[in-house]
Amino acid sequence: MLKGGLREWREKGYPLEKGQALTDLPYAADGRRLYAQHCSTCHGESGKGVPGHFPPLRDDPLLAAPDPWGAIYVTLYGLSGRPVAGRQWEARMGGFARYLSDTEAAALVSYARAQFVLGAGPVAPSDVAKVRRQVESARASREASKAIAP
């Protein structure tokens, strides 16, 4: 069982039967489907990536972090020009903020964390909504300061 996964899952109000793994839950089917639809082309079904082009997700520190903020951010807004797993990658990752609801993004990130990282807990739709609010607030502040600056 995933370290902290059961506790976190129950604290967020999701039902979990005794002996049931996070990957067996109803959200996992949606997460698996969304991963296949949006991520597996680049990162592969097994999360190993494509050497020289797309980074692996298996044991990725961003996915493994106790706070899923970074994994949610990259899923929603993409990543470019920053090292991943200690190296630069050729391809830029686009974000899925326009295409995924909070529930879908939570299912996708939860699936990736459960599938590719030992010990990573689930993500709730409220976690995704929080990241969206923070990013939009930061963007609005940046735009406001640009409007004020000469």
Side-chain angles (χ1 to χ4, degrees):
M1 186 51 56
L2 298 177
K3 177 182 169 190
L6 287 172
R7 181 178 37 78
E8 289 177 38
W9 191 258
R10 286 189 179 124
E11 285 173 1
K12 290 181 180 186
Y14 299 113
L16 191 64
E17 300 298 322
K18 185 176 180 176
Q20 187 177 27
L22 290 176
T23 55
D24 295 335
L25 294 169
Y27 91 92
D30 288 338
R32 187 178 302 116
R33 176 184 55 78
L34 291 163
Y35 180 84
Q37 182 179 356
H38 296 291
C39 312
S40 67
T41 302
C42 299
H43 295 290
E45 286 182 34
S46 65
K48 292 182 181 176
V50 176
H53 298 283
F54 303 105
L57 297 180
R58 190 160 297 284
D59 298 322
D60 179 77
L62 198 58
L63 277 179
D67 181 352
W69 197 96
I72 295 168
Y73 177 87
V74 170
T75 300
L76 293 177
Y77 302 105
L79 187 64
S80 156
R82 294 181 60 199
V84 176
R87 60 179 295 223
Q88 289 293 124
W89 297 86
E90 187 176 308
R92 175 193 186 280
M93 180 182 156
F96 299 101
R98 292 180 293 171
Y99 308 110
L100 298 175
S101 68
D102 292 348
T103 301
E104 290 172 324
L108 174 58
V109 175
S110 292
Y111 173 78
R113 285 167 59 92
Q115 190 71 19
F116 304 124
V117 180
L118 180 61
V123 172
S126 60
D127 297 327
V128 177
K130 178 181 173 183
V131 172
R132 285 188 202 262
R133 280 192 311 273
Q134 289 173 342
V135 169
E136 293 308 316
S137 176
R139 286 182 177 171
S141 293
R142 216 175 12 239
E143 291 300 316
S145 67
K146 283 182 185 177
I148 295 171

